[in-house]
Amino acid sequence: MTDTIIDRQEKPSRLYINRFGLWLFILSESMIFLALLASRLVLQGYDVPEEANQFIALAITSVLLASSGTAYLAEASAAAGRSEESRRWLGWTILLGLVFLVGVGFEWREAFHAFRPETGFGTIFFTMTGMHAFHVVTGMIFLGVVWRRTKAGDYSPDSYWPVEGAAKYWHFVDVVWVFFYPALYLIS
Amino acid sequence: MSSNDFEAARGRGVTVLIVLAVATIVEFIIAAAVSFAVPAWLLIIAVAKAWLIVVYFMHVAQVKKSDHD
C-alpha cells in the first residue's frame, strides 16, 4: 500500500505555514507585554505622576497609529502589484516609526528627572516603554529590509509574504501601544 | 488584487484609521473629564481599537487561507 493517508491529505502551503508561524510568534511576544502590563498594575496601581507629559504621549500615539495606516497601505499596494506605491508607504512607515522613537527619546529625557528609573513608577515606565521601543526598532529593521527588496522588484501580487509579514509585525507593535498608552498615561 | 479591490481596501483602511483616531481622542477626553470608572472605559476602548487593528489591518481571518486574496 503506497497510498498513505499523508499522501492523500493536502499539505499545508508555505504561505499558510508562514502566517500561522507569525501569529504563534506574535502570541508568544504578547505574553511578555501582558506580564509588563500586569506588573504595572500590581506594583503601581492606577498611579500616574503629574509630570508625565500627556502632550508628547498623545502625539507619539497618533504617530504610531498613522504608521499602522501606512503599513496597511504598503501591504495593500503590494497585493495589487503597485511596487512603487508599496515602497513609498513602507518608507513612510519607517519614517513615522523614527518620529515615534524621537518622541520617546524626548519623553525619556523629561521622565528621567521626574520619575527616575530607581523609583517604582520609573522602573515600570522605562521597562515598558523600553521593551516596546526595542520592538519598534526591530520592526523598522524588518521594514527596511523589505523596503530594499521591494525596490529591487523582488515581490509580485502572487508573492509578497515579506511585506505582509513586516506589516503584521508592525501592527502588533501598534496594538501593544494601544494598551500601554492608557496604562501608563491615562489611567489615573 | 484588482484595481477596484485595491480602491476598496484603501477606503477600508482609511476608514479604520479615522475610527482609531477618534477612539484615541475619546480616550483622552474620558481620562481628562470623566471621574467614574475611568480604567474600565479605557480598557473597553483599548480592546475595541485592538480588535479593529487585528481584524482589519492584520487580517487575522487570513491565517486559515493558503493563498493571497
Side-chain angles (χ1 to χ4, degrees):
Chain A
M1 284 239 307
T2 56
D3 187 18
T4 65
I5 292 173
I6 292 171
D7 289 338
R8 277 187 264 121
Q9 279 180 347
E10 208 175 299
K11 289 178 189 163
S13 72
R14 183 77 244 167
L15 184 59
Y16 171 76
I17 292 169
N18 290 345
R19 281 177 176 159
F20 191 65
L22 182 61
W23 276 105
L24 282 179
F25 171 72
I26 286 171
L27 210 62
S28 70
E29 288 290 283
S30 303
M31 297 299 123
I32 302 170
F33 291 111
L34 271 169
L36 287 173
L37 212 50
S39 60
R40 186 268 186 269
L41 295 171
V42 167
L43 293 175
Q44 290 295 301
Y46 296 151
D47 293 339
V48 176
E50 279 182 14
E51 298 92 339
N53 194 321
Q54 297 291 343
F55 173 72
I56 289 184
L58 185 60
I60 62 177
T61 300
S62 308
V63 164
L64 201 62
L65 272 179
S67 75
S68 222
T70 55
Y72 170 85
L73 291 171
E75 188 190 344
S77 301
R82 302 181 181 207
S83 302
E84 186 53 38
E85 212 173 315
S86 180
R87 192 170 67 85
R88 204 163 50 240
W89 287 120
L90 284 169
W92 275 109
T93 308
I94 295 167
L95 188 64
L96 288 169
L98 193 60
V99 171
F100 176 84
L101 288 176
V102 168
V104 168
F106 274 115
E107 175 65 343
W108 277 7
R109 201 174 63 166
E110 282 189 18
F112 197 76
H113 298 292
F115 31 89
R116 294 186 59 80
E118 55 265 28
T119 63
F121 186 81
T123 301
I124 286 296
F125 177 83
F126 286 104
T127 305
M128 286 175 71
T129 55
M131 183 58 105
H132 180 260
F134 173 74
H135 282 73
V136 170
V137 168
T138 54
M140 283 170 63
I141 292 170
F142 194 0
L143 288 165
V145 169
V146 170
W147 178 89
R148 203 158 156 232
R149 290 189 63 190
T150 305
K151 193 178 175 188
D154 284 355
Y155 308 128
S156 69
D158 295 322
S159 173
Y160 63 93
W161 161 247
V163 182
E164 182 184 334
K168 277 187 169 58
Y169 182 78
W170 192 257
H171 294 314
F172 163 66
V173 165
D174 191 24
V175 168
V176 170
W177 191 253
V178 158
F179 289 96
F180 273 22
Y181 165 56
L184 285 172
Y185 290 95
L186 302 181
I187 201 165
S188 172
Chain B
M1 188 188 279
S2 69
S3 187
N4 285 342
D5 289 342
F6 174 72
E7 294 301 327
R10 185 158 65 180
R12 214 162 31 240
V14 171
T15 303
V16 171
L17 195 58
I18 290 170
V19 171
L20 288 170
V22 168
T24 303
I25 292 167
V26 168
E27 252 183 340
F28 190 81
I29 291 171
I30 285 175
V34 172
S35 55
F36 176 71
V38 169
W41 284 117
L42 294 178
L43 179 63
I44 290 168
I45 293 173
V47 168
K49 285 168 71 176
W51 179 85
L52 281 171
I53 294 172
V54 167
V55 170
Y56 289 101
F57 281 179
M58 296 175 82
H59 312 296
V60 65
Q62 256 180 4
V63 74
K64 295 180 200 167
K65 297 183 183 175
S66 298
D67 53 5
H68 290 295
D69 54 14

